């Protein structure tokens, strides 16, 4: 049995049986018990393309499938006759094939001459087709075709309708047909069956006691049944804007799960003990402040105080420090590290990329080694004797500050006394890494008592503070809402690709003034055939070619090349030469997106800017405008520009405020984009929208403590259902 048969056996929903009678007959031949037996472990046989695609999208459990909601719906509940249908309308017709031919009309195409039951004719044309379809749609076959009816040159026709074999008396679906977010290699029909099966098998029993859910909302089971198969005549607008009570129920469920797990985590954390780290006057912290060439901004001073107050408490800090790119989070982190070190404890700082970790390392060495602090550096690329020495220094407590990538949380790293852990760009770390960090850092002891280190997380992806406070029930939030003085705002220019030469001339001018330039090469759009590896190869080809071109054109100017495929040591070397000014131009992929800090860089060129998301463009632009020199960001775009693409570039030209960018980004993101966002770890919530669903969030926040107090069992079941193993991630 091939695995698609397996999937059919397990996922046939009553709705689809009429349309797929062959499957029914197939099932009939099997003993009933075989149908309920669990599928063999996936390792037992290779998965089919669609099954693998499902797995890749995380859709391998009934609940995950049941929560995979449609993007939109198609109405296949009504058949019309050809005579009734008006040209230009999208209709569903019941047709019999009279003649089937592959013809050469300009392009090779499959032409089916068909007629409905009263004999009115319609031509169906297919420009893409498989031999199997030619065979299946033979003369005499009855089909249901859905598409736009047109008055063509040869009579009425449909070009590329959706077609499936169906006898005239086969029942019609009784609900609208869902269209799901699907990746390449995942046909809708397959996904529909999988989701319908998941919906039938998922445990959707009510777990919440009466009075928990806001009045007027349906049960979870009703809500999901409805959203997957709304009855004909449902007001589409309420489904599309997610205001329908069925949507509200889902959002409430999700928000409640978040609130429960976070409030629970907070309660658990509050009984833990952490080292009390108090500021010591005249020690490291004051030394660093005195040595800085500039004073802190008011916002930096305020958040540094908030952090210091947390560190002085005997329970572990769990604080998010957010601030726009360039707001100056690093020095705030360094001050916190000083407090910990002054109190005789070690501090670890972890960053998501080697480039970023290396920059932090250099900056912290520059700031702290004059004050007598030994800073250790751990990365994946540092191995052997050097690594062993670093590990020894960490274990013996000689290295008081440890900077690195996730190498910091590897098994063989043992701290002598870790008091504070700082995670930069925390949302970039995967769930597993955040969890590992949490487990790793646990279990310091003081006089036999377990102590938990304090945790400071940093992020440049801001969400409005009040919202953040409500949402992150288990997190204190500090926000740097002010940029250091003397920054000239970045001017953003949007240019068509045809003006590339002007941009190159501009590079010469900047370099002549002693300034430096980034040139960021585009993301390569993945075609259906390409996987991530193919895509990164294409990106590599692209960046290498642009580098060669620019190096040839900009004769006498040092042009460097930086991309993800370089060995870590080579990356570091290129970065160092750029930071040191030896290279004036750096051609790079998005590896420079996060945190790279070269204040002398004043021009940022982003090629194919239309391919980047708004948040990413903002991050990239934040690499310039970091010093006093006036900076320019040039967004080069190539036609055709989609409406969303246009809106993104306009937003970039109109504002440099990260909060505003975040707001517009949410606005521009369609529901279809959540998959991508979820994969990159950026999405906070899947169904609810923090800005729009504030009332539901408030209701969930209120319901959570009551539930935890009076119905802990129900609370636990709800969290398990919604977050599964992911629940821990929220506490990390
Ligand atoms: P981010 O918040 O994006 O991590 P950084 O910490 O990298 O920002 O700071 C950006 C730049 O601003 C750095 O070059 C840093 O040294 C500088 N900087 C930080 N605080 C101040 C300040 N108060 N005055 C002037 N420059 C500052
Ligand atoms: Mg930073």
């Amino acid at each position: 049995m091939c695995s698609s048969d397996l999937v059919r056996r397990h996922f046939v929903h009553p709705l689809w049986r009429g349309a797929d009678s062959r499957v029914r007959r197939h099932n009939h031949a099997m003993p009933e018990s075989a149908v309920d037996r669990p599928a063999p472990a996936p390792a037992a046989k290779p998965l089919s393309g669609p099954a693998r695609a499902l797995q890749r999208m995380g859709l391998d459990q009934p609940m995950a499938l049941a929560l995979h909601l449609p993007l939109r719906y198609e109405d296949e509940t009504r058949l019309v006759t050809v005579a009734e249908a008006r040209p230009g309308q999208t209709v569903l017709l019941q047709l019999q094939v009279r003649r089937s031919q592959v013809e050469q009309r300009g392009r090779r195409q499959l032409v089916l001459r068909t007629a409905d039951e009263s004999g009115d004719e319609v031509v169906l044309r297919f420009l893409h087709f498989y031999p199997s379809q030619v065979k299946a749609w033979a003369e005499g076959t009855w089909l249901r075709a859905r598409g736009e009816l047109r008055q063509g040159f040869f009579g009425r026709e449909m070009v590329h309708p959706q077609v499936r074999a169906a006898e005239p008396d086969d029942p019609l679906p009784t609900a609208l047909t869902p269209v799901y977010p699907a990746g390449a290699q995942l046909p809708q029909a397959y996904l529909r069956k999988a989701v319908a099966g998941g919906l039938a098998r998922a445990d959707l029993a009510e777990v919440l006691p009466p009075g928990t859910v806001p009045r007027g909302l349906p049960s979870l089971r009703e809500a999901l049944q409805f959203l997957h198969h709304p009855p004909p005549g449902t007001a589409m607008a309420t489904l599309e804007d997610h205001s329908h009570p069925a949507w509200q129920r889902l959002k409430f469920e999700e928000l409640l799960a978040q609130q429960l797990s976070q409030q629970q985590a907070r309660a658990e954390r509050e009984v833990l003990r952490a080292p009390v780290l108090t500021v010591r006057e005249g020690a490291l912290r004051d030394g660093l402040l005195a040595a800085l060439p500039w004073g802190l901004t008011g916002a930096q001073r305020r958040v540094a105080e908030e952090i210091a107050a947390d560190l002085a408490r005997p329970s572990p800090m769990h604080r998010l420090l957010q601030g726009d790119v360039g707001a100056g989070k690093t020095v705030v982190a360094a001050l916190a590290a000083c407090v910990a070190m002054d109190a005789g404890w070690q501090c670890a700082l972890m960053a998501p990329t080697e480039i970023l970790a290396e920059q932090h390392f250099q900056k912290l060495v520059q700031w702290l080694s004059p004050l007598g602090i030994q800073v250790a550096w751990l990365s994946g690329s540092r191995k052997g004797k050097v690594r062993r020495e670093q590990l020894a220094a960490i274990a013996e407590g000689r290295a008081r500050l440890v900077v690195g990538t996730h190498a910091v949380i590897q098994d063989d790293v043992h701290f002598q006394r870790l008091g504070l852990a700082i995670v930069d760009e925390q949302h970039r770390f995967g769930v597993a890494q955040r969890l590992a960090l949490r487990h790793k850092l646990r279990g310091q002891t003081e006089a036999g008592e377990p102590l938990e280190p304090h945790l400071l997380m940093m992020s440049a992806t801001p969400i409005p503070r009040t919202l953040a406070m409500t949402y992150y029930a288990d997190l204190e939030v500090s926000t740097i809402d002010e940029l250091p003085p003397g920054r000239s705002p970045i001017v953003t220019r949007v240019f068509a690709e045809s003006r590339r030469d002007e941009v190159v001339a501009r590079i010469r001018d900047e370099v002549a003034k002693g300034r430096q330039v980034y040139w960021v090469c585009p993301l390569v759009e993945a075609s259906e055939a390409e996987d991530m590896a193919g895509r990164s190869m294409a990106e590599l080809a692209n960046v290498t070619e642009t580098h060669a071109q620019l190096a040839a054109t900009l004769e006498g100017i040092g042009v460097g090349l930086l991309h993800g495929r370089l060995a870590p040591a080579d990356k570091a070397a290129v970065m160092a030469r750029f930071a040191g000014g030896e290279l004036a131009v750096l051609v790079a992929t998005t590896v420079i997106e996060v945190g790279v800090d070269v204040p002398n860089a004043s021009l940022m060129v982003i090629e194919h800017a239309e391919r980047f998301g708004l948040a990413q463009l903002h991050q990239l632009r934040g690499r310039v405008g970091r010093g006093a020199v006036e900076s320019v960001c040039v967004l080069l775009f190539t036609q055709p520009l989609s409406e969303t693409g246009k809106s993104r570039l306009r937003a970039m030209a109109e504002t440099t405020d990260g909060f505003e960018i975040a707001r517009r980004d949410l606005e521009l993101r369609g529901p279809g984009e959540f998959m991508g966002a979820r994969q990159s770890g950026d999405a906070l919530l899947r169904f609810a929208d923090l800005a729009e669903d504030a009332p539901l969030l408030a209701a969930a926040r209120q319901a959570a403590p009551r539930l935890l107090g009076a119905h802990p069992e129900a609370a636990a079941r709800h969290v398990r259902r919604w977050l599964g193993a992911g629940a821990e991630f929220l506490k990390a």
Side-chain angles (χ1 to χ4, degrees):
M1 185 170 44
C2 73
S3 55
S4 66
D5 278 339
L6 236 180
V7 169
R8 277 202 205 105
R9 270 172 55 202
H10 286 274
F11 292 98
V12 178
H13 187 271
L15 205 71
W16 290 97
R17 287 198 181 143
D20 207 342
S21 47
R22 266 177 324 155
V23 173
R24 194 174 30 177
R25 278 198 294 276
H26 184 69
N27 267 351
H28 202 70
M30 262 182 299
E32 218 36 63
S33 62
V35 178
D36 291 324
R37 219 181 287 148
K45 69 172 68 169
L47 291 171
S48 68
R52 239 188 342 229
L54 271 187
Q55 204 175 44
R56 261 207 309 274
M57 289 168 79
L59 299 176
D60 44 6
Q61 296 297 321
M63 195 61 188
L65 283 159
L67 292 177
H68 192 62
L69 294 187
L71 279 177
R72 57 189 173 82
Y73 303 88
E74 284 170 358
D75 191 349
E76 296 183 10
T77 59
R78 279 176 311 135
L79 276 173
V80 297
T81 63
V82 176
E84 283 169 332
R86 242 176 262 120
Q89 252 183 336
T90 297
V91 290
L92 182 66
L93 300 172
Q94 175 77 43
L95 302 166
Q96 188 173 34
V97 180
R98 291 193 164 169
R99 208 155 53 134
S100 159
Q101 266 177 320
V102 176
E103 295 180 7
Q104 195 73 42
R105 287 194 206 172
R107 266 179 77 177
R108 211 170 91 90
Q109 50 190 276
L110 172 63
V111 179
L112 301 180
R113 275 162 237 280
T114 69
D116 68 7
E117 282 179 289
S118 46
D120 291 328
E121 295 189 353
V122 177
V123 173
L124 309 183
R125 295 202 288 128
F126 300 87
L127 297 168
H128 308 281
F129 56 94
Y130 297 105
S132 61
Q133 289 171 319
V134 180
K135 222 172 179 180
W137 301 336
E139 275 142 50
T141 313
W142 281 98
L143 305 172
R144 279 189 192 148
R146 185 180 182 281
E148 190 190 324
L149 193 67
R150 296 206 304 215
Q151 191 59 47
F153 190 69
F154 299 101
R156 296 194 156 198
E157 63 172 24
M158 278 183 174
V159 180
H160 262 283
Q162 295 166 29
V163 174
R164 63 175 174 233
E167 298 295 320
D169 59 353
D170 278 346
L172 282 161
T174 54
L176 302 181
T177 305
V179 178
Y180 293 105
Q185 294 155 8
L186 195 51
Q188 281 293 328
Y190 184 95
L191 189 52
R192 281 180 193 138
K193 283 180 200 163
V195 170
L199 191 57
R201 291 191 307 148
D203 171 18
L204 300 174
E206 185 64 74
V207 300
L208 300 176
T212 313
V213 180
R215 222 166 295 188
L217 302 188
S219 73
L220 177 62
R221 182 189 302 280
E222 287 163 346
L224 284 174
Q225 289 285 2
F226 182 91
L227 292 174
H228 286 290
H229 307 294
T234 303
M236 283 299 177
T238 62
L239 294 183
E240 275 161 20
D241 70 7
H242 300 180
S243 66
H244 191 280
W247 260 104
Q248 300 272 317
R249 170 72 202 234
L250 264 159
K251 296 181 190 188
F252 177 77
E253 291 254 325
E254 178 181 41
L255 290 167
L256 181 63
Q258 300 271 354
Q259 289 296 315
L260 284 172
S261 87
Q262 298 207 0
Q263 292 186 16
Q264 209 168 7
R266 161 172 297 231
E268 281 168 18
R269 202 163 41 78
E270 266 164 10
V271 302
L272 295 174
R273 293 213 333 117
V276 173
L277 311 173
T278 40
V279 173
R280 270 182 42 215
E281 301 292 328
L284 267 180
R285 188 177 129 109
D286 288 344
L288 172 57
L289 284 172
L292 286 174
W294 26 257
L296 298 183
T297 63
Q300 282 172 321
R301 226 173 300 131
R302 176 172 47 75
V303 298
E305 287 314 315
E306 288 167 1
I307 293 166
D310 277 1
L311 295 176
R313 294 182 50 212
S315 61
M317 170 170 78
H318 208 225
R319 187 173 281 275
L320 175 70
L321 172 58
Q322 57 171 8
D324 208 347
V325 287
K329 295 184 286 296
T330 317
V331 70
V332 174
L335 290 169
C338 286
V339 177
M341 293 186 288
D342 275 338
W345 291 76
Q346 285 171 298
C347 175
L349 191 158
M350 183 164 90
T353 68
E354 194 134 328
I355 291 183
L356 187 50
E358 166 99 34
Q359 288 223 359
H360 282 321
F361 175 68
Q362 276 162 9
K363 184 150 271 177
L364 290 165
V365 166
Q366 179 200 327
W367 283 341
L368 297 173
S369 62
L371 304 173
I373 295 295
Q374 183 182 342
V375 186
W377 161 243
L378 285 178
S379 79
S381 60
R382 182 170 272 197
K383 298 203 174 72
K385 184 156 168 272
V386 192
R387 180 177 167 86
R388 279 197 301 279
E389 277 166 12
Q390 300 275 316
L391 290 180
I394 296 166
E396 289 157 22
R398 277 179 284 123
R400 297 170 66 188
L401 178 57
V402 181
V403 180
T405 58
H406 50 264
V408 169
I409 50 174
Q410 244 121 56
D411 284 344
D412 57 351
V413 184
H414 300 285
F415 290 89
Q416 188 207 31
R417 298 176 98 210
L418 184 64
L420 169 67
I422 303 173
V423 185
D424 196 14
E425 303 292 344
Q426 54 100 20
H427 60 287
R428 303 243 150 202
F429 284 98
V431 174
Q433 285 162 336
R434 280 194 257 192
L435 265 179
L437 172 75
R438 209 162 146 255
H439 292 306
K440 172 91 204 161
L441 303 183
R442 185 168 284 167
Q444 309 290 314
T445 57
E446 174 108 310
E449 226 192 319
L451 286 182
E452 182 102 355
H454 298 278
L455 184 59
L456 177 65
M457 291 159 277
M458 304 198 281
S459 167
T461 311
I463 57 175
R465 184 180 152 82
T466 45
L467 225 50
M469 299 285 278
T470 320
Y471 174 72
Y472 292 120
D474 184 35
L475 216 56
E476 316 302 331
V477 179
S478 291
T479 305
I480 305 184
D481 51 8
E482 174 187 358
L483 290 182
R487 299 262 171 95
S488 356
I490 306 168
V491 177
T492 302
R493 294 256 148 76
V494 181
F495 282 176
E497 167 68 27
S498 52
R499 296 175 66 183
R500 193 182 177 105
D501 290 348
E502 282 173 54
V503 177
V504 175
R506 178 73 191 248
I507 293 181
R508 266 204 205 88
D509 295 346
E510 287 301 301
V511 174
K513 283 187 255 168
R515 311 270 160 73
Q516 287 168 284
V517 178
Y518 294 104
W519 183 293
V520 177
C521 285
L523 290 174
V524 173
E525 283 160 303
S527 76
E528 291 204 2
E530 268 165 354
D531 54 5
M532 286 308 283
R535 181 167 146 169
S536 87
M537 281 310 291
E539 271 172 22
L540 178 62
N542 211 313
V543 73
T544 314
E545 189 180 320
T546 303
H547 172 254
Q549 271 173 13
L550 285 176
T553 320
L554 298 169
E555 218 181 307
I557 294 176
V559 182
L561 172 63
L562 189 67
H563 57 75
R565 293 270 175 128
L566 289 179
D570 295 338
K571 267 190 236 169
V574 173
M575 252 345 272
R577 287 173 63 204
F578 186 66
E582 187 188 329
L583 294 171
V585 180
L586 188 61
V587 179
T589 57
T590 50
V591 293
I592 61 145
E593 178 188 341
V594 165
V596 168
D597 184 36
V598 178
N600 190 44
S602 61
L603 175 61
M604 159 72 63
V605 183
I606 305 174
E607 220 182 299
H608 274 297
E610 76 281 358
R611 293 188 191 168
F612 294 88
L614 200 44
Q616 204 171 20
L617 287 173
H618 182 63
Q619 279 282 338
L620 286 168
R621 178 171 61 184
R623 299 311 113 218
V624 294
R626 299 176 83 81
V629 287
E630 199 164 304
S631 296
V632 176
C633 173
V634 174
L635 304 174
L636 279 177
F637 69 90
T638 308
Q639 298 284 11
L641 261 186
S642 69
E643 274 311 308
T644 328
K646 234 179 259 174
S647 308
R648 276 196 224 120
L649 298 185
R650 191 176 314 124
M652 286 295 292
E654 285 172 3
T655 180
T656 51
D657 175 356
F659 286 91
E660 177 62 16
I661 295 270
R663 199 185 60 72
R664 296 214 199 176
D665 196 21
L666 274 177
E667 230 171 61
L668 288 173
R669 273 192 207 196
E673 282 186 48
F674 84 84
M675 293 299 299
R678 213 166 44 142
Q679 275 153 13
S680 69
D682 275 347
L684 296 170
L685 288 161
R686 180 165 164 195
F687 299 114
D689 175 321
L690 283 184
E692 268 170 24
D693 298 318
L696 281 176
L697 175 57
R701 188 175 161 88
Q702 260 182 11
R706 255 187 291 132
L707 207 55
L708 285 169
H711 307 277
E713 276 294 301
R717 278 187 71 188
H718 184 76
V719 170
R720 255 201 317 279
R721 164 180 286 170
W722 272 88
L723 305 165
E728 276 228 67
F729 139 66
L730 289 163
K731 304 184 215 159

